[in-house]
Amino acid sequence: MNHTLDRTDDDTLIRDLFQRFMRAWTDNDAATFGALFTEDSDYVSYDGTRAIGRAEHHHNHDLLFRGVLAGSALVGDLESIRYLTPDVAVLHGTASVLMPWRSRLPKRRLSRQTVVVMRTSDGWRIAAIHNGRVRPVTVPTPNSFPSRMSQLMARIARRLGFGRRPAAV
């Protein structure tokens, strides 16, 4: 089946998958949440913890939904869909956990998700997700104080024989 001609249906199904992901979280339904993933999927949490496989995602989120995240909601937006192949796409979205005692999200809790989805015999499923906090920083210019200090520390470390050796030219 050729899926490259019209992405409208796939876009709709993928957007629906993202909405079901957030709804399963908000319903604190670990079984439905886990079923959205492929059997061998990867889940990297905002703290860098990695879980592998649908069963582990189900188990971990069951503990979370009955524990520290009980009553929480996942709110967010799907930012983009980019197809790598007709059956694999990369999504970017932003979302955050809204705890039951809050009426609005604290800005510092916003996360960005990079999600790989793939078409399976059961429809589109999440094959991998990486969740990272949104903490924008300004990249210092080479002549800024932080850059000059880093360059100075690198020169001192080299003179003292510490750290990695510079690459041979």
Side-chain angles (χ1 to χ4, degrees):
M1 183 172 194
N2 187 348
H3 298 283
T4 60
L5 299 177
D6 183 6
R7 290 285 181 206
T8 306
D9 290 341
D10 287 332
D11 285 355
T12 299
L13 292 169
I14 289 170
R15 288 180 189 287
D16 180 63
L17 175 64
F18 193 80
Q19 290 301 314
R20 288 185 292 135
F21 176 78
M22 290 194 300
R23 189 170 47 250
W25 185 299
T26 300
D27 292 344
N28 290 181
D29 183 345
T32 299
F33 185 85
L36 299 173
F37 291 85
T38 61
E39 196 65 43
D40 61 348
S41 53
D42 288 291
Y43 190 116
V44 178
S45 186
Y46 76 94
D47 65 352
T49 304
R50 182 178 177 210
I52 302 170
R54 175 186 294 152
E56 191 170 352
H57 309 326
H58 175 182
H59 172 74
N60 290 347
H61 284 79
D62 179 56
L63 295 175
L64 291 168
F65 295 156
R66 290 186 299 118
V68 297
L69 295 178
S72 67
L74 185 63
V75 295
D77 295 300
L78 180 59
E79 297 175 327
S80 65
I81 302 171
R82 181 170 62 96
Y83 293 90
L84 302 178
T85 73
D87 298 322
V88 177
V90 173
L91 319 179
H92 285 100
T94 53
S96 186
V97 175
L98 180 63
M99 298 306 288
W101 57 85
R102 294 192 185 274
S103 56
R104 59 186 161 86
L105 294 170
K107 193 171 187 175
R108 61 185 269 289
R109 296 201 35 123
L110 184 64
S111 293
R112 176 158 286 113
Q113 296 75 40
T114 301
V115 184
V116 178
V117 297
M118 61 186 293
R119 187 189 318 273
T120 70
S121 59
D122 296 322
W124 287 94
R125 293 292 181 263
I126 299 168
I129 184 167
H130 187 267
N131 190 14
R133 289 283 195 235
V134 176
R135 298 277 194 274
V137 295
T138 302
V139 176
T141 62
N143 290 323
S144 68
F145 179 74
S147 293
R148 288 192 327 265
M149 289 305 294
S150 180
Q151 294 159 9
L152 175 63
M153 294 300 291
R155 284 192 304 274
I156 292 170
R158 277 194 298 274
R159 284 185 188 145
L160 295 174
F162 297 127
R164 68 173 184 83
R165 302 281 179 237
V169 183

